[in-house]
Every structure is written in structure tokens, then in C-alpha cells.
């Protein structure tokens, strides 16, 4: 059942209440016995990131309320979400390092101030999901969380954060305050977020599940952490020596088993 949550000035995406979890991403897998990974494409295309670097203003989307206490504050490419817990905000992912202004403006437009942020969660340790975390942390003193494997990656193998693909714009690294493990719960105010380890896109990718109340009804929200194929192709594997394809396939099966009303992607088009 679709819910009307996209303002007239919003982006191209529409979010849906649905049970069980459905999306273009998962629908394509429902009738396949085996996942086939494309090994012919480069991990990243220079022209894709050059456009994001050169024209960040073109990626702005008006923020909006998804349902209840859940808000979208991301851009056309990289998703960020805010949960209003009644005792402060939980911010999930902070986007590209050159779009911090987009994020702060979106939070203000939703009626909050950055100082309301108490917790900053990360779906995984790639630069387009923690690009503004160090700054937001300094601004708000919010506590930062990341999967323990990706926290280790950031310390020991920062090249795997993929920040080098964003040529000319540095990404400030940070040390997470809390390193999450599978099954951990993050509690703030009226909200409990369950962290589920779903490796593949990165070794420490986390999926987050939490309840959202809309018009007196509770809905289960699921934010899938790391649902992209770009780190699973032959070029990336040969360049980095990292092959997490088996883990990714296991995560796909786990996602498909999750009973979900509101599906959220960590990249905006995943929720279309």
C-alpha cells in the first residue's frame, strides 16, 4: 500500500508500505536460484563521480517525512535518514563529503536543529555514507556507531573506504565511538534500533530495523546496509584482493526473510 509522503517539490522516488519487503532490488532476485555478478564493469566510473563533484547542487532533494517520526534528509544519490526519538535525533549516514550543507539544511527544514543529533549510525564504511560524520560529530557531540569490521577497515585499510574515487575533495576519517556487532540494539527515547550484520558490499555492513508509528499503527522499517554490487566485480576484487561475494549472497537471503513494512535503501534510487 502506497502512502502519500512525497511533497510536490520532492525528488523522483516514492516510498511504499509493503509486507513482506519488496523493491526493484529484491524483486529481481525472487525468482532466481543463483545470483550472477557482472564482472565486466569497472568498480566506479569517473564520469559518475565527476558530476557529483562538479554539480553537487543538482543532487539536492527537498527533505520530507516518510512516516511518523522518520524523515528523509539525503540527496538524489546518497540517502540519509533521521529518526525523532523524543529525546533527540538518530541520524543514519551523513552522505558525500561535499554535501554537508545539503544535510544540515534538510535537518533544519524538517524542524530540527543539528544539536538535536545524539546518535550517528552508519550503514557501512564507504566515504559516501560517512563523508560529513567528523564535522557533524564536532558540531553536535553525537555518538558515532559503525560495524566493527568496517571500523577496523577505516583504521587499517582506509583505501577500502573508496575515498580515493572522489578526486580533489578529501574525506575526513574518524574513529567510531561504538563498534557494532550482529544483534546489538541502540536505544534512544522511544526508539530501539536493531543492528544486523549483512556483509558483502563491505565486510562490516549493517542493516537497521526499527518501529515507526503512523496514525496510531506500528510499522516495521528496514534500512538495508550495503546493497550495491560495485564492490563485487572482477576489477574491484583484483585491485583490492577482497572477495565478499559469498557473504553478499548470504545477506541477500537474510534480507528476503525480513518481514518489513517500510523499505529504505542507503542510496536513494534503491527505494524507488
Amino acid at each position: 500500500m502506497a502512502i502519500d509522503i512525497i511533497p510536490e517539490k520532492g525528488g523522483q522516488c516514492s516510498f511504499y508500505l509493503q509486507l513482506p519487503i519488496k523493491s526493484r532490488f529484491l524483486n529481481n532476485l525472487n525468482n532466481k536460484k543463483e545470483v550472477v555478478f557482472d564482472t565486466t564493469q569497472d568498480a566506479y566510473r569517473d564520469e559518475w563521480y565527476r558530476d557529483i563533484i562538479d554539480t553537487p547542487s543538482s543532487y539536492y532533494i527537498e527533505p520530507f517525512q516518510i512516516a511518523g517520526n522518520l524523515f528523509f534528509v539525503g540527496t538524489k544519490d546518497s540517502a540519509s535518514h533521521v529518526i525523532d526519538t523524543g529525546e533527540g535525533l538518530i541520524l543514519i549516514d551523513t552522505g558525500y563529503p561535499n554535501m554537508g550543507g545539503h544535510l544540515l539544511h534538510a535537518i533544519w527544514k524538517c524542524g530540527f536543529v543539528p544539536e538535536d543529533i545524539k546518535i550517528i549510525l552508519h550503514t557501512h564504511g564507504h566515504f559516501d555514507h560517512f563523508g560529513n560524520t567528523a564535522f557533524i560529530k564536532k558540531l553536535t557531540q553525537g555518538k558515532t556507531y559503525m560495524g566493527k569490521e568496517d571500523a577496523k577497515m577505516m583504521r587499517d585499510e582506509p583505501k577500502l573506504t573508496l575515498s580515493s574515487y572522489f578526486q580533489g575533495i578529501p574525506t575526513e576519517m574518524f574513529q567510531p565511538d561504538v563498534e557494532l556487532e550482529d544483534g546489538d540494539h541502540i536505544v534512544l527515547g522511544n526508539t530501539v534500533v536493531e543492528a544486523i550484520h549483512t556483509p558483502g558490499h563491505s565486510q562490516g555492513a549493517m542493516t537497521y530495523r526499527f518501529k515507526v508509528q503512523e496514525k496510531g499503527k506500528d510499522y516495521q522499517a528496514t534500512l538495508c546496509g550495503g546493497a550495491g554490487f560495485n564492490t563485487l566485480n572482477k576489477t574491484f576484487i583484483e585491485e583490492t584482493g577482497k572477495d565478499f561475494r559469498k557473504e553478499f549472497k548470504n545477506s541477500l537471503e537474510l534480507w528476503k526473510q525480513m518481514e518489513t513494512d517500510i523499505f529504505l535503501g542507503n542510496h536513494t534510487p534503491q527505494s524507488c
Side-chain angles (χ1 to χ4, degrees):
M1 176 180 67
I3 57 174
D4 184 16
I5 55 174
I6 305 295
E8 292 183 0
K9 295 182 180 180
Q12 299 300 311
C13 282
S14 58
F15 289 74
Y16 293 87
L17 288 179
Q18 42 206 348
L19 183 68
I21 192 169
K22 299 287 183 181
S23 70
R24 292 185 304 179
F25 172 69
L26 292 179
N27 280 348
N28 290 334
L29 302 173
N30 284 341
N31 298 318
K32 295 183 180 180
K33 295 181 179 179
E34 182 177 356
V35 178
V36 178
F37 297 101
D38 182 357
T39 61
T40 62
Q41 297 183 8
D42 290 339
Y44 286 93
R45 298 181 183 275
D46 289 342
E47 58 269 26
W48 174 265
Y49 285 102
R50 178 48 53 190
D51 186 60
I52 294 173
I53 291 169
D54 290 346
T55 61
S57 62
S58 69
Y59 288 82
Y60 177 76
I61 293 178
E62 285 283 322
F64 54 87
Q65 182 181 22
I66 296 174
N69 61 338
L70 176 63
F71 299 81
F72 178 87
V73 292
T75 64
K76 288 182 181 179
D77 182 77
S78 188
S80 297
H81 298 89
V82 157
I83 307 169
D84 178 10
T85 74
E87 295 184 12
L89 302 179
I90 297 175
L91 171 64
I92 308 178
D93 285 348
T94 64
Y96 285 98
N98 65 335
M99 296 188 188
H102 295 49
L103 178 61
L104 293 178
H105 179 73
I107 291 169
W108 281 318
K109 288 274 284 187
C110 288
F112 308 112
V113 294
E115 289 79 7
D116 293 332
I117 298 170
K118 305 302 181 185
I119 290 175
I120 306 168
L121 301 180
H122 299 87
T123 54
H124 59 285
H126 290 160
F127 79 102
D128 48 337
H129 299 275
F130 71 81
N132 296 291
T133 298
F135 171 64
I136 298 295
K137 165 77 173 178
K138 185 174 182 179
L139 187 67
T140 67
Q141 301 304 307
K143 184 179 289 188
T144 58
Y145 294 69
M146 182 178 285
K148 68 175 184 179
E149 293 86 355
D150 279 8
K152 184 178 186 299
M153 174 188 75
M154 192 179 296
R155 287 192 302 270
D156 300 342
E157 299 181 275
K159 69 177 183 179
L160 294 179
T161 66
L162 311 182
S163 59
S164 64
Y165 290 104
F166 217 51
Q167 296 179 14
I169 297 180
T171 301
E172 187 174 355
M173 302 293 163
F174 71 100
Q175 180 59 46
D177 297 310
V178 179
E179 297 184 10
L180 291 168
E181 298 188 42
D182 183 56
D184 281 350
H185 290 81
I186 302 98
V187 182
L188 182 66
N190 59 20
T191 301
V192 178
V193 179
E194 180 184 10
I196 302 169
H197 187 213
T198 48
H201 183 60
S202 70
Q203 195 171 8
M206 285 287 176
T207 289
Y208 297 116
R209 285 169 60 80
F210 51 92
K211 294 292 181 65
V212 174
Q213 189 173 79
E214 170 78 9
K215 296 181 179 179
K217 291 185 62 176
D218 285 336
Y219 296 97
Q220 178 67 59
T222 300
L223 201 171
C224 289
F229 293 102
N230 53 306
T231 54
L232 304 172
N233 61 45
K234 183 177 180 180
T235 300
F236 184 87
I237 292 168
E238 289 179 347
E239 288 179 349
T240 64
K242 306 294 183 181
D243 186 351
F244 301 129
R245 289 176 292 181
K246 181 178 179 179
E247 291 86 347
F248 191 83
K249 290 172 69 174
N250 292 338
S251 294
L252 291 176
E253 293 304 316
L254 183 60
W255 284 326
K256 288 195 288 183
Q257 295 170 16
M258 294 179 183
E259 294 287 319
T260 299
D261 301 311
I262 302 175
F263 170 79
L264 304 167
N266 58 17
H267 279 278
T268 309
Q270 292 171 357
S271 300
C272 291

